[in-house]
Structures are given as C-alpha cells and as structure tokens.
C-alpha cells in the first residue's frame, strides 16, 4: 500500500494516509469463511484512551455478493471532526480471486466535503466527510477498508470518553469484536449492561484491555412499555470521570465563563428591561425565557469545539442564533443578572430513567436546559422550546434526571413531576339538535392548543389562505351528513395558544336502540390499560406511563325546544383514575341544554407490577360506565311532522348546507352530495334531483346515476329511472348495478330485456342469493312463476340457514301471492337467523296479509317498525292492513310511507296490494 507522509499531528481537515497504530491487533481474513460465510466478513472496532486522546480504529471487509451490495459499498464515506482530531486511512483494497489490489496506490485519494446532514434542522455539526468512489469494484470482490479517527475534545481537557454499541445476535458476521484499552495505571472506568456479559479487562503490554467478541448473545426481550432502565441498548461506555460530580465539575467552568457579561453589555441591558417590565421573579423568568425562545433562532454550531463548548451569551445575543447550550447560557446569564437563582443542566431527551445506571460520560446527554429556583420551587426552562408562558412555566419536561453544572460540581437530580396546572388542549364543542334529533345537527368547535404544540399552528395560521382552509375543510368533515361551513386558524401570541375553529353540520349521534332514541356516551375501549406481564420473567417489571398531558373537553348539547321529558342517565360527577391517568367529569342541565365537562390528566411515571391487576380492573369499571340522553317515548319522527312545521325546523340546516356548498373548494363535491342526502331525508325529491344533476354533470359515477335513478322512480318517471340505471351499469357492470337495472326494466314492462340481462350475468357464490331474488322478481313479473320458485328453492336447498336466501323465498311468495301458506316456514327461519330481523318480519307480514291473517300481519309489522321505524315498506303495508281491519288510522300510515317512498304505490299496485278506499 502506498504511504503518503503524514502531516503534523493536528492536521485536522487534511486526510492522513499511513499504517495503523502499532498497538492495533489486526484481524485476518484467515479467521473467516471467505467463500461461504456471511457477506460481512470482518467488522473490527478498537479504541484506545491515552493522554487525553481517544483513537477509534475500524476495519471492515465486505464480500460484494450482488449488485445491491455493489451499490451500497461502491462509494466509501468516512466522517470525522477536524477541530478535534484527524482521519487516517490505513487501507483501501480490493481482493479478487486471492489477489490484493491497493486502491490507494498511485496516489488515489479521498475527496473531502463538508456534509451537514442536519442543516435543514439547523444543525451545523462541524463534521467533514471523506468520500471515495471505488473504481473497478465488481460483484464477488471483497472490499476492505481500514481507518482510524482521533478525538481530542477541547471541552474535556485531559478527560476522555468512548462508547461502543455491542451488536447482538442474530447479526450475521464472519468475525467481529470490540477492543477498548488504556494505560494500566490510568484511572479509567467502564460499564456495560450486565446482560451483555462483558468480562473485566486484562492487562496486555501494560494496557488494561477489554475484549468483547461480537455479536453478543441476544438480549432478553423486554416489554415495550417497561421503563427505560429495563430497555437499555447494549453499550460499552468507557471514560475518565469517576462520578457525576466529576463530570459536572469538568463542564461547569465553560458555562460559567460563557454566561459572564459586562454591565454595559446588551445582555445586561435586556435583563434591566425585563426587571423594569415586571417585579415578580416568576414573571421576569417568563419574559426572559420568551426572549430567548422568540428572538434567538436555533442553530447547532459544532465548529471549533462547539459540540460541547458553549457560545458566549454576548455572542449568542449578537448573532441571534445558537443551539441548546448557547440558548441556555444566554438564559442563565439573564436570570443571574436579575438575581434569580439558576444553573445550566445537562439532560437526556431519550435516556429516560436509565441515566443513573449509566457510566458518567458526556455522551449520555443530548440536551441542555436551565433550572431556576423561585420561592423554593424548581422550574425547568428550555430555551430551544417555544411558547413558554406563566400558565405552563411550571411544567416539568419528561427528561427524568438532570446534571447541574455548578463550579463545585453536582450529582444527578431527579426532575420530579408535578401535575400540569393548565390544559394542553381545550376543546369547546356545541351540537345543536334544535331541528330534531333524527336530523343532522349544527355544530361549532373550537380547539385551543397551548404551549409548543399550539405554536406549530402559528405558521399555518400566518400562511393559510382561503383555498387552503377549504382543502382542510374537505378532509376535516367526514361521515354521512357532515359538511363544514367555515374553518379558521389563528394564533394568540400573548397567551401562546393556537386556535382552530370550525362550524358546520354533522350526522346525528342519536340512534334508535331498544325502542328509544338515545344519545349514548359509550366508554367501550375508550380507556385502555392492558400491559402484558404474562411471562414469568416479566412479572416484576413495572409499566411506564406516558405524560405529562392535560386535556379538557367542554361539550354542550342543545335539544329541541318543546320536546320535554328527555331523560339523562349516569353519574352527574365522575372523579376516577387509573395508572397515572385522572378523569374528572361533570354534567349539568340548563333548560334544553346539557353541558358536559371532562378533564383528563396523563402523568409521567410508572406502575409497579403488583398493582397492575387493580388498575386493569379499574379500566374495565370505567369503560362500563354508561351515560345516555333518552328521547321521550312519544318522540315524533320527521315523516310524522306536518310539512309546514318540517320546513320551518329544517330551514337553518338547509341554510347551513348552502353555506357549506359555497364555502367548499371548487373541486370538492362532498358538501353538495351531503346536501342532496339531506334533501332526501326531508323528502324534497325535486331538490335532490337538482343537486344530483349538478353532481353528475361534474363527476359522473355509477353510484350517482343509480341514486338519481331512484329519485326519478320516486317522482314517477320510470323511463328516466331506467336510463340512469343503464348509465350506472355501463360505468360499472357489477352485479349490484345489473340487478338494479333488471328490476327496473321488469317493473317498466321490459321483462324480456331484463331476463336477457340476467341470463348473461356472471355471478359469484356470494352473489347467488341476491341474483336468485332478483331473477325471481323479474320472472314473476314475466309470468314465469314456476321458474322463479325453482330458482328460489334451489338457493334454499343450497343455503338452508342463510337468512337472506330464506327471506327472498318468503318475500317472493308473499308479494306474488304464490303458495303463501308454504312460505311461513321459510319466513320464520329467516327471522330466527337474521341479525336484523325487520325486513324478514315485513316479508312474513306480506305472507300473512295474502292469507287474510291481518292480526298476524299487523303484529309482525308493528315488530318490524319497532326495530326500524323508518322502514317505509312496512309502514305502507301496515296502513293497508289497518284499513282492511277498518282502522282509519291506516290512512295516516299510508300517507307517511308514501312521503318517504312515493314509488311504493305504483310498485305494490302491480301486485294488487293497494290501500282500501
């Protein structure tokens, strides 16, 4: 290998080329199965700590088995920090069929680039990257690269640190190890997780030497919800810090010095401004934090030792940028100038509660904040965060432990949690059912999001234009009947609150259950706490709970005026909790308005394994709580309300749908679709038709054509209905649209055409039941009753327990009055097997009607309508039966049914089922 004479020891940004250090125990390819072993042949890591310098050596050999590996390894990239040491390349060679090709020979060199990989996150880490495209590398070659990097960190002085991740099985490698060594008489400390099985160092040539064969045994699996101390990665840490105080003392001078400012400095002047603006120390602290957060942008400057060495407070204020260290120093300086007790502290954003169990080295920490003590209370202040105000300054970040940096040094201190005093999110929601509980409801929603989360809305609020808000509205409103009439985003900078407001229409949350309209507060699965500790080795492991978080929901439900006797069930006050979650809820009734308020706190902490069963039981009890709003039993459905009253009640809803259509984006047809749906609910068939015409003109689909066909049929225009059904089938020749078209053709007198369509229709096994039902109807209308019965009997024989098939047989015999007495068995079986038996009860009622058993028919129809009050066919037939029995109230049933489904009169008349005059 060609050797280029090395530059002086601190060359920094120049790549050095030369042999490996003499102390290296070089790995040999003779140790591995070059031909048949894993493609990763060698990964050898060796580190030495000596005289304040850490040398990191790496040797890798990769067999290029395929083009993907060739792509991955065709360019070598090596990184280092030139302000802390050197990169030395020892070897780059290709081994091909036993021949070694020295890539560096002849003067080939790496190219040096500055690769700021985190620049988009404002991270200038100071690293240089050496790259080399390996010329001539081929599949089946072995690429071997050996290099070392020295680290002499300015911030640490003579102190040193090193860490090595210990790869575990099932990592596949031919030969791998990690070696860390230091002079025998030096005070160097090491620690690794007990489960890693690292043996104590042995003395080799006067150096304490740790040698770990890799991969280590696979670590025991731990539950994902265990505290961090149970889930630590296997890392060997080595350093010269005897304890946390030692580490604290080593760092403290840099930060104390950087925070010093002159009396006539701009930083001191800012402190005086704050003191003039507020007299309370806590208010002054808030203003200082806000100044650092809002007027100093974030930029990590890792150049010239900046990874650990802080920027001075004066420099940070002058440049108006800095990383967590710079911002913390500036904040520390401001607070000190104001006489507020404060100190910078190191924290780990990822280490959790495991930090005290680690070897004290700087690498355990990835962030710096400031601890201030005011009136005996610790406040943890993060200059890199945002939106700190008096309402949330007492919040404790989820960092678990901090290492203060006083001149005398300090031990780790716990960051003791306290419950949040102010909500992170407050949701105010009003649902207005003034039009009726079986209609969509008007709603208004305001979400106030505080602190850092709310601050994320600031840019969106500044940049959002009308079109963006309309796009947001189209994604926000979902579900049948849902549409937004307005959306707005704003940001209250004084309170640091992002505000989202929305108004619109939503589907009714009332549902018909057990004979009542109910608005239920269903707790099922709302709260969850079911940690797995079934394994014997897990049974003593506690559960980590997330937090801190505090949310509040205030909801109001406006009920229709004049509808008295609403019942409200459930406790008016709930004060419960489980697993560091606390819930406090209240309910109040004011006239026709029901108000609910719920506060939920999620506190950071852990639950001992011994207490898990009790908390699981508590969650089940909470989820079993029921609270309902029950409508009066004599509640009037919309089809029971006279036209004038209905029009008055629904006008606000129609106006809202009009506003939603106007507000929507030009290509968002959702609100228009929802308006058409609502017009169908209020039986405005001409209005539905007009909206569907617009929808189809702009975004035709099989579904819309089929829908419009149904509207045409309701309006008595069967020819138009058939045309739309044909258009739907042309767009989507699926079985569903084919069966719909065939039935319309048959009722329109085109039975041969309908039969021809059905004869050529391919159907799947799952569709055979629906096909047989439609074929029977079409064949029956064509006078081929025997063929219809045969098709149905074949399906019943094939699927004797299928409720839908049994119901099809029952319905056909009743509707066509063919052997109705033989249908009762199928009808009853269908009812018994159905999940929703209302359609089956309706079919049996038709059979009983044909047999002249009006009492049985009436009983089944009453039962069907009790299950599904909006079943228009059952209401229509009940009216006919009641009229047959001389009950004039049957005329009301007929009129209400035809209001919902005008097409019933003509369709049933074709089968001789008509109301008695």
């Amino acid at each position: 290998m060609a050797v280029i004479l090395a530059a002086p020891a601190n060359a920094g940004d120049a790549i050095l080329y030369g042999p490996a250090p003499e102390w290296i125990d070089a790995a040999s390819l003779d140790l591995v199965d070059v031909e048949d072993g894993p493609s990763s042949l060698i990964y050898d890591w060796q580190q030495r700590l000596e005289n304040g310098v850490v040398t990191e050596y790496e040797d890798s050999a990769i067999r290029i088995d395929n083009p993907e590996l060739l792509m991955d390894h065709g360019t070598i990239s090596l990184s280092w920090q030139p302000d802390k040491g050197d990169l030395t390349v020892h070897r780059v060679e290709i081994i091909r069929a036993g021949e070694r090709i020295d890539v560096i020979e002849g003067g080939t060199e790496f190219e040096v680039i500055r690769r700021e990989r985190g620049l988009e996150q404002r991270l200038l880490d100071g690293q240089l990257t050496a790259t080399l495209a390996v010329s001539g590398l081929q599949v089946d070659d072995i690429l071997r690269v050996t290099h070392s990097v020295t680290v002499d960190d300015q911030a640490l002085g003579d102190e040193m640190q090193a860490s090595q991740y210990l790869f575990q099985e099932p990592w596949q490698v031919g030969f791998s190890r990690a070696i860390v060594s230091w002079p025998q008489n030096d005070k160097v400390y090491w620690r690794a997780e007990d489960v890693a099985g690292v043996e104590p160092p042995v003395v080799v040539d006067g150096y304490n030497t740790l040698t770990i064969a890799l991969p280590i045994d696979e670590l025991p699996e731990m539950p994902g919800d265990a505290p961090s101390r149970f889930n630590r990665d296997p890392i060997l840490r080595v350093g010269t810090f005897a304890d946390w105080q030692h580490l604290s003392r080593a760092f403290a001078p840099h930060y104390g010095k950087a925070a010093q400012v002159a009396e006539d400095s701009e930083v001191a002047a800012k402190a005086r401004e704050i003191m003039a603006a507020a007299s309370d120390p806590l208010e002054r602290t808030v203003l200082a934090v806000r100044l650092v957060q809002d007027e100093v942008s974030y930029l990590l400057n890792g150049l010239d030792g900046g990874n650990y060495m802080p920027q001075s407070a004066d420099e940070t204020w002058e440049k108006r940028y800095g990383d967590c260290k710079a911002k913390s120093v500036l904040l520390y300086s401001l607070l000190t100038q104001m006489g507020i007790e404060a100190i910078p502290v190191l924290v780990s954003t990822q280490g959790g509660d495991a930090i005290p169990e680690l070897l004290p080295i700087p690498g355990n920490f990835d962030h710096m904040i400031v601890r201030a003590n005011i009136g005996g209370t610790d406040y943890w202040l993060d200059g890199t965060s945002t939106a700190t105000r008096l309402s949330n300054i007492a919040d404790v970040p989820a960092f678990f432990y901090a290492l203060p940096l006083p001149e005398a040094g300090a031990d780790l201190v716990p960051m003791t949690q306290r419950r949040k005093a102010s909500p992170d999110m407050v949701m105010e929601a009003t649902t207005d059912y003034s039009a009726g509980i079986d209609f969509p409801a008007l709603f208004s929603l305001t979400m106030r999001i505080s602190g850092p989360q709310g601050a994320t809305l600031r840019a969106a609020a500044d940049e959002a234009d009308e079109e963006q808000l309309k796009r947001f509205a189209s994604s926000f409103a979902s579900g049948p009947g849902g549409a937004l009439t307005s959306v707005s985003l704003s940001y209250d900078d004084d309170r640091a609150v992002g505000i989202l407001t929305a108004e619109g229409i939503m589907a009714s949350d009332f549902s018909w259950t057990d004979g009542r309209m109910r608005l239920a507060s269903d707790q099922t699965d709302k709260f969850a706490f079911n940690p797995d500790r079934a394994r014997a080795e897990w049974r003593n492991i506690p559960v980590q709970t997330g937090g801190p978080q505090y949310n509040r929901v205030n909801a109001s439900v406006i009920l229709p005026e004049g509808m008295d006797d609403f019942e409200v069930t459930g406790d008016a006050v709930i004060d419960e909790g489980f697993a560091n979650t606390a819930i406090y809820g209240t309910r109040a009734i004011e006239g026709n308005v029901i108000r609910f308020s719920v506060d939920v706190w999620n506190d950071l902490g852990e639950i001992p394994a011994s207490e898990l069963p009790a908390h699981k039981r508590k969650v089940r009890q909470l989820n079993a709580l029921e609270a309902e709003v029950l409508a009066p039993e004599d509640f009037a459905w919309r089809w029971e309300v006279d036209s004038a009253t209905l029009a008055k009640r629904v006008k606000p809803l129609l106006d809202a749908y009009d506003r939603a259509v106007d507000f929507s984006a030009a290509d968002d047809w959702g609100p228009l679709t929802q308006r058409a749906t609502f017009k169908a609910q209020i039986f405005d068939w001409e209005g539905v038709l007009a909206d569907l015409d617009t929808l189809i003109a702009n975004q035709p689909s099989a579904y819309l054509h089929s829908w419009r066909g149904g509207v045409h049929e309701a309006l008595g225009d069967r020819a138009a209905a058939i045309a739309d059904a044909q258009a739907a089938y042309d767009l989507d020749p699926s079985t569903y649209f084919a069966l719909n078209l065939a039935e319309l053709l048959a009722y329109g007198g085109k039975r041969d055409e309908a039969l021809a369509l059905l004869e050529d229709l391919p159907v799947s096994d799952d569709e055979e039941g629906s096909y047989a039902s439609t074929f029977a109807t079409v064949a029956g209308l064509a006078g081929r009753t025997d063929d219809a019965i045969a098709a149905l009997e074949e399906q019943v024989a094939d699927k004797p327990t299928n409720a839908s098939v049994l119901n099809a047989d029952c319905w056909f015999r009743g509707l066509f009055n063919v052997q109705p007495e033989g249908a009762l068995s199928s009808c009853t079986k269908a009812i018994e097997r159905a999940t929703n038996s209302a359609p089956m009860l309706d079919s049996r009622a038709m059979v009983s009607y044909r047999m002249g058993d009006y009492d049985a028919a009436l009983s089944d129809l009453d039962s069907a309508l009790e299950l599904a009050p909006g079943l228009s066919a059952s209401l229509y037939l009940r009216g006919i039966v009641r009229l047959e029995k001389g009950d004039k109230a049957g005329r009301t049933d007929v009129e209400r049914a035809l209001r919902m489904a005008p097409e019933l009169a003509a369709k049933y008349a074709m089968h001789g089922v008509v109301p008695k005059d």
Side-chain angles (χ1 to χ4, degrees):
M1 164 177 170
V3 177
I4 299 177
L5 292 177
N10 293 321
D13 57 2
I15 303 172
L16 309 181
Y17 298 86
E22 293 182 358
W23 51 266
I24 291 296
D25 179 17
S28 171
L29 283 172
D30 294 339
L31 298 171
V32 301
D33 183 349
V34 172
E35 297 295 331
D36 299 320
S39 61
S40 296
L41 299 173
I42 292 176
Y43 270 106
D44 188 20
W45 293 280
Q46 300 184 38
Q47 299 187 64
R48 174 156 288 184
L49 290 76
E50 188 171 16
N51 297 327
V53 178
V54 179
T55 301
E56 302 169 348
Y57 166 90
E58 180 179 328
D59 179 19
S60 66
I62 306 293
R63 189 179 63 243
I64 309 300
D65 285 347
N66 50 59
E68 288 73 25
L69 284 176
L70 181 62
M71 178 71 69
D72 291 342
H73 296 279
T75 298
I76 304 168
S77 295
L78 308 174
S79 296
W80 82 107
Q81 290 185 296
D83 62 312
K84 293 179 175 59
D86 300 309
L87 165 66
T88 303
V89 177
H90 308 306
R91 167 172 45 196
V92 178
E93 66 180 17
I94 297 171
I95 303 171
R96 181 179 299 149
E99 179 187 356
R100 297 178 184 270
I101 304 170
D102 192 332
V103 176
I104 301 299
E105 187 177 19
T108 300
E109 294 187 8
F110 282 76
E111 179 183 359
V112 179
I113 61 174
R114 183 179 297 280
R115 177 178 293 175
E116 298 300 347
R117 289 168 291 183
L119 197 55
E120 63 277 7
Q121 287 86 36
R122 299 185 64 79
L123 305 176
L124 188 65
D125 61 15
Q127 282 198 138
L128 292 182
T129 300
T131 65
L132 175 67
V134 185
S135 177
L137 187 65
Q138 303 174 13
V139 172
D140 295 330
D141 285 348
I142 295 172
L143 175 64
R144 189 161 188 183
V145 179
T146 311
H147 74 282
S148 61
V149 172
T150 57
V151 179
D152 184 1
D153 199 303
Q154 305 95 316
L156 302 185
D158 292 334
E159 307 296 346
M160 297 172 286
Q161 66 168 338
S163 60
Q164 174 65 54
Y165 182 83
L166 304 179
F167 290 90
Q168 56 183 307
E169 293 182 342
W171 182 46
Q172 297 293 308
V173 66
F175 172 81
S176 183
R177 67 183 170 185
I179 298 176
V180 182
S181 60
W182 60 91
Q184 180 180 357
N185 296 323
D186 284 3
K187 290 183 178 180
V188 176
Y189 309 89
W190 68 276
R191 191 178 303 171
E193 284 64 32
D194 293 339
V195 290
V198 177
E199 295 293 333
V202 298
V203 177
V204 178
D205 297 331
Y207 288 83
N208 285 324
T209 304
L210 287 165
T211 303
I212 304 102
L214 300 176
I216 61 173
D217 291 340
E218 186 174 10
L219 300 189
E221 184 182 359
M222 287 287 121
D225 54 9
S228 299
R229 64 185 185 274
F230 293 91
N231 271 317
R232 303 200 309 268
D233 286 330
I235 296 175
L236 171 65
R237 293 176 175 87
V238 183
T240 56
F241 300 95
D243 52 29
W244 296 109
Q245 287 204 14
H246 185 177
L247 175 55
S248 174
R249 285 194 303 272
F251 268 64
H254 305 303
Y255 293 88
K257 180 180 179 181
Q260 293 175 4
V261 296
E263 283 295 317
D264 60 351
S265 67
E266 291 189 38
V267 173
K270 282 294 176 183
R272 289 191 291 271
E273 286 180 21
I274 292 172
M275 294 175 71
S279 59
D280 180 69
L282 190 57
E283 291 183 14
R284 289 176 173 177
T285 301
V286 170
L287 292 174
V289 175
R290 187 170 176 180
L291 180 75
V292 174
Q293 290 179 347
D294 294 353
E295 298 194 31
V296 178
S297 64
Y298 183 85
L299 176 66
L300 168 63
N301 185 358
L303 302 175
D304 298 324
N307 286 315
Y308 286 143
M309 296 288 284
Q311 215 169 245
S312 72
D314 284 327
E315 184 181 358
T316 300
W317 182 249
E318 178 187 356
K319 293 181 175 178
R320 293 296 202 278
Y321 67 72
D323 60 7
C324 65
K325 301 183 299 299
K327 281 176 165 257
S328 294
V329 164
L330 176 58
L331 179 56
Y332 173 40
S333 181
L334 288 166
L335 296 175
T336 303
Q337 289 284 318
M338 294 187 291
I340 295 170
E341 181 184 341
I343 196 73
V345 299
L346 294 171
V347 295
S348 172
T349 62
Q350 305 295 324
D353 66 347
I355 294 297
E357 301 186 8
L358 306 181
L359 184 76
I361 60 172
N364 294 331
F365 303 100
D366 61 1
H367 192 40
M368 173 172 279
I369 60 176
V370 173
R371 181 186 68 183
N373 188 279
I374 302 171
T377 299
D378 285 336
Y379 294 88
W380 305 94
L381 313 173
D382 191 342
T384 67
S385 185
T386 187
T388 297
R389 300 293 186 270
L390 201 59
S391 61
N392 61 8
I393 194 171
D395 292 353
V396 181
F399 300 153
F400 291 89
Y401 289 92
L403 182 65
L405 303 180
E407 187 176 348
D411 283 320
L412 286 172
V413 295
M415 296 176 64
T416 305
Q417 286 291 320
R418 48 185 169 248
R419 180 158 290 175
K420 286 197 167 198
S422 299
D424 298 291
M425 185 277 294
V426 176
M427 179 187 293
E428 305 273 353
T430 298
T431 311
D432 187 351
Y433 288 100
S434 295
I437 58 176
D438 60 336
F439 286 116
L442 298 173
F443 79 87
S444 62
L445 174 72
T446 300
M447 291 179 64
R448 293 179 172 86
I449 305 172
S450 302
Q453 287 181 308
T456 62
L457 293 178
R458 176 163 30 196
D462 291 341
E463 297 174 7
D465 58 22
E466 185 176 356
E467 285 305 311
Q468 287 177 315
L469 290 174
K470 288 179 178 181
R471 301 287 178 197
F472 177 76
S474 67
S475 62
F476 188 88
S478 60
L484 288 187
T485 58
S486 67
V487 178
S488 67
L489 282 173
S490 61
Y491 189 76
D492 183 339
D493 194 55
D494 288 337
R495 297 169 55 212
V497 175
I499 304 169
L500 165 67
T501 61
E503 293 183 343
I505 317 103
M506 56 175 278
S508 174
D509 282 331
F510 278 88
S511 61
W512 180 261
T513 308
D514 297 331
R516 298 283 292 275
M517 282 290 274
R518 303 167 185 265
L519 176 64
S521 175
D522 186 2
Q523 295 289 351
T524 304
D525 294 332
K526 182 175 181 181
F527 297 110
F529 183 72
N530 191 30
D532 178 10
R533 293 298 184 271
R535 303 184 194 182
E537 60 271 25
W538 289 4
R539 288 178 187 168
N540 294 319
I541 298 176
V543 172
Q544 179 77 55
T545 59
Q549 185 81 20
Y550 173 21
N551 293 328
R552 172 177 292 163
V553 176
N554 296 323
S556 297
V557 177
I558 302 174
L559 299 172
E561 292 278 5
M563 287 184 65
D564 300 325
D565 301 325
F566 274 87
E567 299 176 38
V568 182
T569 67
D571 296 333
V573 176
I574 295 176
D575 190 357
E576 299 287 355
F578 69 93
N580 293 330
T581 294
I583 305 108
Y584 183 78
T586 62
R587 183 193 70 225
I589 303 174
E590 303 171 8
N592 68 323
V593 180
I594 305 175
R595 303 190 190 280
F596 303 89
S597 179
V598 179
D599 286 4
V600 179
W601 292 268
N602 300 110
D603 297 330
L604 183 70
E606 63 181 56
I607 305 299
S610 60
E611 298 178 11
L612 296 181
H615 287 285
K616 290 182 180 182
R617 288 191 295 270
K618 191 62 181 178
V619 170
R620 292 196 63 186
Q621 292 168 3
L622 276 169
N623 287 335
L625 292 176
E626 293 183 358
E628 290 184 313
V629 179
L630 288 84
E633 293 187 2
D634 60 354
F635 150 75
W637 294 94
R638 59 185 181 276
W639 52 84
E640 297 173 346
V641 178
D642 66 84
S643 298
T645 301
L646 183 66
K648 181 179 179 181
R649 282 167 52 180
V650 303
K651 187 177 186 308
L653 290 173
L654 277 172
D655 290 345
Y657 277 114
D658 291 344
R659 292 196 302 274
V661 170
D662 293 340
F663 177 71
S664 62
D667 58 350
D668 178 13
W669 301 102
L672 186 59
T673 303
Q674 303 295 6
R675 187 175 72 181
T677 301
F678 177 67
K679 288 179 178 179
Q681 288 182 295
I682 60 175
F683 325 119
D684 177 10
W685 304 112
E686 294 289 353
V688 178
L689 187 61
D691 283 347
L692 288 176
D693 286 345
T694 302
L695 288 167
I696 290 172
N698 287 279
Q699 54 157 25
S701 69
Y703 165 74
L704 289 174
H705 275 290
S706 181
W707 183 4
R708 189 172 69 177
V711 174
H712 280 307
E713 189 178 18
L715 291 170
D717 190 345
R718 183 160 283 146
I722 291 173
D724 263 324
Q726 182 67 59
Y729 182 57
D730 291 342
L731 288 170
D732 180 2
S734 62
T735 300
Y736 172 82
F737 293 115
L739 298 183
N740 179 60
L741 174 59
E743 189 164 310
L744 279 171
L745 287 168
Y747 276 105
K750 300 180 180 182
R751 281 97 192 224
D752 290 342
E753 189 176 337
L755 286 169
L757 171 63
L758 294 176
E759 287 173 2
D760 296 333
L761 186 68
V763 293
S764 66
D765 291 343
D766 293 339
E767 297 168 335
E768 285 183 353
S770 299
Y771 174 84
S773 178
T774 301
F775 174 80
T777 299
V778 173
L781 289 169
R784 293 169 51 180
T785 305
D786 291 344
D787 291 342
I789 293 292
L792 291 169
E793 286 179 343
E794 180 181 349
Q795 282 299 304
V796 171
D798 186 49
K799 301 179 180 66
T801 62
N802 186 294
S804 296
V805 169
L806 292 167
N807 184 57
D809 180 62
C810 172
W811 173 247
F812 176 82
R813 292 174 187 272
L815 184 64
F816 284 86
N817 201 15
V818 177
Q819 304 169 11
E821 64 284 348
L824 287 176
S825 175
S826 290
C827 297
T828 300
K829 288 179 181 178
I831 293 168
E832 293 170 346
R833 288 162 173 76
T835 302
N836 173 21
S837 60
M840 290 70 179
L841 288 163
D842 179 79
S843 297
R844 189 170 71 178
M846 179 63 81
V847 170
S848 296
Y849 165 76
R850 291 298 199 183
M851 295 173 62
D853 190 348
Y854 298 144
D855 288 340
L858 193 59
S859 176
D860 278 345
L861 290 167
D862 285 342
S863 296
L865 290 167
E866 185 176 351
L867 292 171
L871 202 57
S872 56
S874 294
L875 187 61
Y876 185 65
L877 184 57
R878 189 177 74 173
I880 292 173
V881 172
R882 293 172 75 176
L883 289 170
E884 290 288 348
K885 288 172 62 67
D887 182 356
K888 293 182 180 179
R891 178 60 56 188
T892 301
D893 281 350
V894 169
E895 290 172 353
R896 289 173 175 171
L898 294 178
R899 192 179 188 187
M900 289 189 280
E903 69 277 6
L904 285 173
K907 183 175 287 188
Y908 274 47
M910 294 187 70
H911 299 280
V913 181
V914 295
K916 186 176 182 179
D917 293 334

